[in-house]
Amino acid sequence: MSTEKTTANNVWDTKTQTFHGGQEHRFINNFVEDFSVTTNYLGTPRKALEAAREAMSEIHHYPAANQEPAKTHLAEFLWGSNYAEQHGRLLMGNGASELIDLVVRKALLAAAERGQKQPTWKGSPWNVQYREYQRSAETNGFKILEPSNPERADMICIVNPCNPTGDYFTVEPLKEWIKDNVKSGGCVIVDESMQPWHSADFRADSLISEHQYAKDMWTNENVSVHVMHSWTKIWSCTGLRVGSVICPTTEHCEALRKIQVPWSVNGPALKFVEEVVNDIDYLNETWENTPRLRAYLIEQLSSLEQSKEWEYHGKKFLSWVWLDMKCEKVAEKAIELARGAGVPVRSGKPGYKCNSFVRVAVRKENEVQVLINAWKSL
């Protein structure tokens, strides 16, 4: 048993785990707000949080093995009145991370059935993206191709919008990129976790509405397209762990369920989803204010004397800014000052190797001012 004290610097096992933000708050005595995670600035929806709390009184019972009625509520949120036609393609999981691993493992099995000893994997065309996809591919024995490699891969995974860079493919260019980069018989994961921030019409620019496309890719190209969501960002419940994947067919969903551990989504999480999908006021406030607050954040950062050469990356609707400070030492100092002021930001160095970058979440004006005041001494 280790006697080493746990700190923000050793919370991750670097030999086996990928660095992620959202851990420092527990080690900061003067904590104000977490700017290192891309969760909704509004915090957790009140009614859904209360539903999860009430569900704690039933933890002496097993959660629903079929994930119902939460899965049906989520399906209706995704597809409206036609949800029943697509319901069988939807599977929930313990965050997106569990489902990522399930799809990658299934893709490896499919490649082995085709006689491939080491299938290839490729990420998005952008220089970096959320690392869990590559980590899972490496763990399962895929050969990793660089984003710039023109070779088609047996498995491709793209985070769209891309976290952390903020790049975004609208739906038609996304479909073209998939077509140009996956082998016939291959597997695709498109992570749209941050896409619901797009607008009230987010479904119209999303693969969740492209039913015929998913069907045609499977029927004509033998390519399985999976749409992944981590719901813990838009609804600010990262500690609860709620994810889902939309499979190309019901049969694909059944194949994943076969290798998924039972009861992977706990009772409070299921009750949370059941309630939160009905909170339209929360989403309307998100869509109305996030772009305004993001613009405010950039305006305040730009007002700093040291910011003349800084570059701000990402679409206007996103819940964070990918900030290039153009100097590794300045970035390191900014991270230190933010932590000291109780407003930690996400360093671009661990995991992404973007040493002059920091990721800054969109937060309320008074919280932004704490960060700005800390960075005046850069």
Side-chain angles (χ1 to χ4, degrees):
M1 181 177 178
S2 174
T3 57
E4 183 182 9
K5 182 180 179 181
T6 301
T7 68
N9 294 324
N10 66 9
V11 67
W12 293 103
D13 179 355
T14 56
K15 294 180 180 179
T16 61
Q17 296 176 311
T18 301
F19 180 86
H20 196 286
Q23 294 291 305
E24 289 183 283
H25 66 282
R26 69 190 73 226
F27 305 105
I28 297 176
N29 293 330
N30 62 334
F31 178 72
V32 176
E33 180 56 80
D34 195 348
F35 282 76
S36 76
V37 292
T38 56
T39 51
N40 197 318
Y41 82 94
L42 286 169
T44 312
R46 182 181 56 80
K47 291 180 181 179
L49 179 59
E50 187 57 38
R53 284 174 174 155
E54 290 180 7
M56 288 295 292
S57 65
E58 298 182 4
I59 61 170
H60 57 293
H61 293 300
Y62 281 99
N66 63 357
Q67 306 173 344
E68 295 292 0
K71 187 166 73 169
T72 291
H73 283 270
L74 181 58
E76 191 169 10
F77 171 79
L78 290 169
W79 297 302
S81 59
N82 296 322
Y83 76 90
E85 299 174 20
Q86 313 301 333
H87 182 275
R89 298 169 53 206
L90 182 66
L91 183 66
M92 295 175 64
N94 191 302
S97 296
E98 180 201 13
L99 299 169
I100 291 167
D101 193 59
L102 287 179
V103 177
V104 172
R105 284 164 52 199
K106 192 67 180 68
L108 184 68
L109 290 172
E113 291 172 358
R114 297 194 299 268
Q116 292 178 272
K117 293 184 179 180
Q118 189 180 32
T120 54
W121 178 96
K122 184 162 65 171
S124 75
W126 305 304
N127 64 322
V128 293
Q129 68 175 9
Y130 177 52
R131 291 278 300 189
E132 189 61 23
Y133 290 94
Q134 183 170 330
R135 186 204 67 82
S136 184
E138 289 173 338
T139 300
N140 283 284
F142 280 80
K143 178 183 177 181
I144 308 300
L145 305 180
E146 290 298 319
S148 58
N149 192 320
E151 179 183 339
R152 294 174 185 267
D154 297 291
M155 184 173 199
I156 59 174
C157 299
I158 179 171
V159 181
N160 188 54
C162 181
N163 194 351
T165 70
D167 291 292
Y168 180 60
F169 275 142
T170 56
V171 71
E172 293 303 323
L174 173 60
K175 291 192 290 186
E176 284 298 314
W177 180 84
I178 291 171
K179 181 180 178 181
D180 292 341
N181 285 277
V182 68
K183 289 182 181 179
S184 178
C187 179
V188 179
I189 301 179
V190 179
D191 186 326
E192 292 194 349
S193 297
M194 312 309 293
Q195 203 274 340
W197 260 280
H198 181 278
S199 67
D201 296 323
F202 74 91
R203 298 167 184 84
D205 200 40
S206 163
L207 284 186
I208 65 176
S209 301
E210 295 289 328
H211 309 308
Q212 191 61 46
Y213 166 76
K215 182 178 180 180
D216 290 346
M217 287 291 285
W218 176 244
T219 302
N220 301 331
E221 304 291 338
N222 197 29
V223 169
S224 57
V225 178
H226 302 75
V227 184
M228 191 74 63
H229 286 95
S230 168
W231 296 109
T232 61
K233 304 301 190 302
I234 190 72
W235 288 317
S236 195
C237 59
T238 52
L240 202 55
R241 315 306 305 136
V242 181
S244 69
V245 61
I246 303 167
C247 299
T249 68
T250 299
E251 290 74 22
H252 283 84
C253 195
E254 290 172 351
L256 292 183
R257 191 181 299 112
K258 188 174 182 179
I259 60 174
Q260 183 182 37
V261 296
W263 306 297
S264 69
V265 187
N266 62 61
L270 290 172
K271 285 293 185 182
F272 182 93
V273 171
E274 193 176 333
E275 179 64 40
V276 79
V277 293
N278 297 315
D279 197 340
I280 303 304
D281 290 341
Y282 179 91
L283 289 177
N284 284 335
E285 192 169 351
T286 298
W287 294 319
E288 179 180 355
N289 288 317
T290 301
R292 177 183 63 79
L293 289 172
R294 189 179 189 277
Y296 176 81
L297 171 61
I298 293 175
E299 176 187 294
Q300 294 301 303
L301 290 169
S302 301
S303 71
L304 292 170
E305 184 178 346
Q306 306 87 339
S307 69
K308 293 178 181 179
E309 296 184 358
W310 294 359
E311 290 185 0
Y312 310 94
H313 299 268
K315 296 298 182 182
K316 295 179 180 179
F317 63 83
L318 292 173
S319 63
W320 75 93
V321 173
W322 185 231
L323 170 59
D324 185 0
M325 292 182 153
K326 299 296 184 177
C327 175
E328 181 176 351
K329 289 185 178 180
V330 172
E332 289 177 350
K333 182 65 174 178
I335 292 160
E336 179 184 334
L337 289 171
R339 185 187 299 117
V343 285
V345 297
R346 170 73 153 90
S347 170
K349 188 173 183 177
Y352 298 129
K353 298 180 180 179
C354 296
N355 297 0
S356 66
F357 283 78
V358 295
R359 191 186 66 193
V360 186
V362 171
R363 293 294 182 256
K364 297 175 183 178
E365 292 95 338
N366 61 320
E367 296 158 350
V368 168
Q369 285 307 313
V370 177
L371 177 65
I372 296 301
N373 289 336
W375 280 0
K376 284 180 178 178
S377 61
L378 275 174

